[in-house]
Amino acid sequence: MTLEKQLIQKTYYKMFINEHEDMHPIRVLGEVFQEEAKQDLPDLSTIRFAQGEVYFHHKDFETAIFKWENIINELEPWAKKNTGDAYYELGLLSAAEDIYCAIASEDPTLKTEVALQLFSLYIERGKVEAAVSTIKKTIVANPDYPNVTEIARNFFEERQDWENAVELAVTEAKRTDSLEWFEILNTYIKKGVTKHHAPSYFSQALILLFTLDKRKFEELVSSLWDSYKNEESYFTWLSEINHLLLNLELSRNENWSELSRLHKEHYFSLIEGRYFIKVLQDFIPDLLTNWFRLADDSNVVLASAAVLSWNELFPASISMSIVSEAEKLISLTETDMDELNECLLLLDSIMSWAKKHDMGENNHIKWFVRQLVDFDTQHLFITGLSGTGKSTFVNTVLGEDLQDSPTSSMVMFKHAPTLEITEITDREVTSLPEFADFQERMDRRRNALESIIEFNQPNVFLQENKVAFIDTPGLKGNPHYDRYEVLKNLHVADSVLFVLDANAPFTEKEQMALKQIQELAPDIPVHFLLSKMDTIVGEREALRIFDETRVSIHSYLPDARVFAFSSQYEGGQQQELTAFIHSIKKTRNIEDKRLAKLLYFIRTTIASLLQKRIDVENQLVESIRWNEEMLMKLNGAVNQLKDTEVQKIQTIAKSFRAIKETIEKDLSDSVRKMLQECSSLIKEDSNFSKIHLELNDEMNRKIQAYLEQTVLPKFYRSLQEWIEHGKEELEQSQEFLNEMGDGFNHMYGEERLKLECDFKVLDDWRRDTDRMTSRFQLESINILLRRTPAQFLLKSAGKLFGALSQNKALLFNKYKAFVENEDYSEAIAAVNKQFFQPFELFEKSLERDITLFFRSPLNVLNDSVEEAREGIQTNQEMLNKMNTNPEMFRDPLTLFDVRLRQFEWMTIAGKGMQTIY
């Protein structure tokens, strides 16, 4: 055992034992101490050091400390360290820490041992930061010391201090070239504890691992890639790993299957349309370059196609040497990739993106794709000029009068176990449960070309020949109309059957239409059906027309077949038609041809979505302009309605007030006259002591009778006339609002505004006027019982002189003159106040009632104003967003185009097919 190990393990004392192993070490060392003490210059430090070790091992820490404190030779640093260990064991951690920290030595072993003891002490005292600092300094100073890195790793892992654990693994991996440390690092990466490190942090370690073990390198890169893929640093990682791989000597022969898979998956993920091109352009070229350099056999064609497609859309972004090599590889290499499935996945991605961005359901495209992947059915596209007998041919062959009028929409007749009729538009798919619904669609002219009708029913001819008829609206010989309306769906066909009228076959218009077909779909074979042969008189004339027509056709299309058809459909002709159908069916390479058509539809879909973006922008601009115009008009309508409301309130209230004032004047005049006429009730023999009471009662009775019998009926009639007048005024307002609503609804294009007023207010007025004019009970009014001087004197005189006969004549005359000449203003005012009180309350409620009358249309207009304002704001925000970030819409479609070109390259690889553009 070396001296260092003895000092570390505190077994230095065994040097003194030797042959005295049968004696206790204390006794042996005691005897040695005594022997040494007898010397002239004794060196007792060594023995004391050994004695301290023995006492330490026997837990006599105080004695051990006493011995070690007296060491003055070269063992003194170790003695101080051992003293610290003794205090540590005694639990005197502070004292131990002070001793450890005071030790000064250049011995790396001693320094490391002291540091490890301090490390343990700091952990026990809870000084974690000090412990971390100590162990990290120890590793820097003496990384090869036994177990020091293992102790540090365990400590970091137990505390889940992944920052320092990762740092330790990376540092040690680079320092030792040890695959074990790379394995530990890989474990950390898989745990997800490295994702907060910058990707460049691992670059040097990866370069080193590449030289040590390429499979381990691939594993580590794979783990890092997975850890960064959902993080903000993902793009930084891509740039870093691309740069690193570009500078490594990679060979496709080394079978980098995992790296090839990663490049493939992440490339397709990046071009799904979630990221802007300006972001992708920074690292996609390097990503494709690296993928191409390390692609395994199963992906080399795909990688080549990816390089070529990206370079086509972004020229010079990839090294020309790589592009040239990719062209060479793809021309020489076939692929077993399921191209159809990949194309369908691409189309599904496009459809999902379109739906997410409110670009419609695109049901036409979905329907076309379903037909293209039905490899068991050939699609015969039946076309021709209007009136040539297309529908007659279809009805005759299918055995039913399915179409009794010219075809207005494209209809596909297909065999199916049960009858099922479906209408497909870009916006929706509608089931037509009855045959009458189908006939209604056929009779429709407006927007008919926007619909596709799929007519599925049991049919022996279609089933046996495995064919579907696609009947189309008649051509007009107008290139613009035919190309963009009828022939736009031509590519769903496997063959075209052009129907000619035997009475005027292959006219100039038909030749022009044929030219359109060849321009749109040069690869789709065109054949001809000579219809209405039964209308030709004589077999020889029919043969002449057939032969001449066939010669004319062959001068344009040498390979075209011609079939003469008669509506007198017989069994023999059915066999000939079956043979004709079989002769024009093209089953060779049908999957490749359908794949090419699918790529064509994907390309047209991308183009149509780009156009839709322009259309959407134009629609937003138009919508904003229209809403602004509507907002101005609606605000004007609101102001008009409010003005009308104010005018009607004034008119109706004024009319009511005039009636009330007229009644009030008549009432005042009549009551005054009536009261004055009560003088006739005074007689010379009247009891003048009570005459004022009798007259007062009689006057009240007369007023009550007058009000009930004369005033109320008259007032009732006047109010009914007033209500009729108010009704006319309100009906005029309703007519005005109806005209306003019709105008707005015409602009909206739908019955959106219903400006209906609340005519219940008239019923309320009728009820209230009936109630107010049906009965009135006048509370007794003091007419002659008031305390005016004249009345007071008369009443007093009546009581005083009424019993004296000679005074009655005088009182009679005075009373009569008083009653006849009295003004009665106060009494009339009291009557008016009682009588007109409910009518005044009614008058005050008129403004509220008329406001309620107009409340509903005003609310409707205000809601429309708010809707127009919100429409302007929403559309303006969308337009601003589109104009601020045009790439938000354009870039995904460009990337879809990249993927499309990639599949087009792959369909060409090893097959010699021509791509459809």
Side-chain angles (χ1 to χ4, degrees), residues 354-370:
K355 186 174 182 179
K356 181 179 177 182
H357 288 78
D358 300 321
M359 301 303 293
E361 294 293 331
N362 295 284
N363 291 313
H364 279 174
I365 291 295
K366 295 175 183 177
W367 182 84
F368 289 139
V369 171
R370 286 197 300 273

Side-chain angles (χ1 to χ4, degrees), residues 317-431:
S317 60
I318 299 176
S319 167
M320 283 308 299
S321 61
I322 295 293
V323 173
S324 300
E325 189 179 352
E327 288 178 344
K328 181 179 179 182
L329 268 174
I330 207 166
S331 66
L332 299 175
T333 311
E334 293 188 2
T335 177
D336 57 357
M337 187 177 190
D338 189 349
E339 296 150 352
L340 177 64
N341 184 60
E342 293 293 336
C343 283
L344 292 175
L345 289 175
L346 170 58
L347 186 62
D348 185 60
S349 298
I350 297 172
M351 293 296 99
S352 299
W353 178 87
K355 186 174 182 179
K356 181 179 177 182
H357 288 78
D358 300 321
M359 301 303 293
E361 294 293 331
N362 295 284
N363 291 313
H364 279 174
I365 291 295
K366 295 175 183 177
W367 182 84
F368 289 139
V369 171
R370 286 197 300 273
Q371 308 317 311
L372 291 176
V373 298
D374 180 9
F375 297 117
D376 295 329
T377 303
Q378 287 267 314
H379 302 118
L380 188 60
F381 192 90
I382 303 173
T383 189
L385 297 184
S386 299
T388 54
K390 294 188 294 84
S391 298
T392 302
F393 167 71
V394 172
N395 290 339
T396 305
V397 174
L398 298 183
E400 297 183 59
D401 288 334
L402 299 177
Q403 301 187 81
D404 56 4
S405 60
T407 305
S408 59
S409 299
M410 189 177 91
V411 186
M412 185 178 79
F413 297 98
K414 193 174 183 180
H415 168 75
T418 58
L419 176 64
E420 184 179 354
I421 309 173
T422 307
E423 180 184 22
I424 300 101
T425 69
D426 246 1
R427 294 176 297 279
E428 60 183 347
V429 177
T430 307
S431 176

Side-chain angles (χ1 to χ4, degrees), residues 617-655:
E617 186 174 351
N618 292 336
Q619 288 169 7
L620 287 173
V621 171
E622 175 59 24
S623 178
I624 291 169
R625 185 203 61 77
W626 187 83
N627 275 311
E628 287 175 342
E629 183 179 336
M630 290 299 293
L631 181 61
M632 181 180 66
K633 292 181 178 180
L634 286 165
N635 280 325
V638 169
N639 293 330
Q640 279 185 293
L641 182 53
K642 288 180 178 179
D643 292 342
T644 301
E645 179 183 320
V646 171
Q647 187 263 326
K648 295 303 177 186
I649 290 172
Q650 292 174 348
T651 301
I652 293 174
K654 182 179 179 182
S655 174

Side-chain angles (χ1 to χ4, degrees), residues 129 146 188 284 287 329 427 666 737 807 834 839 863:
E129 291 184 4
Y188 293 158
I284 286 289
L287 181 75
L329 268 174
R427 294 176 297 279
D666 290 347
L737 289 172
N807 294 321
Q834 280 193 50
F839 295 99
D863 290 344

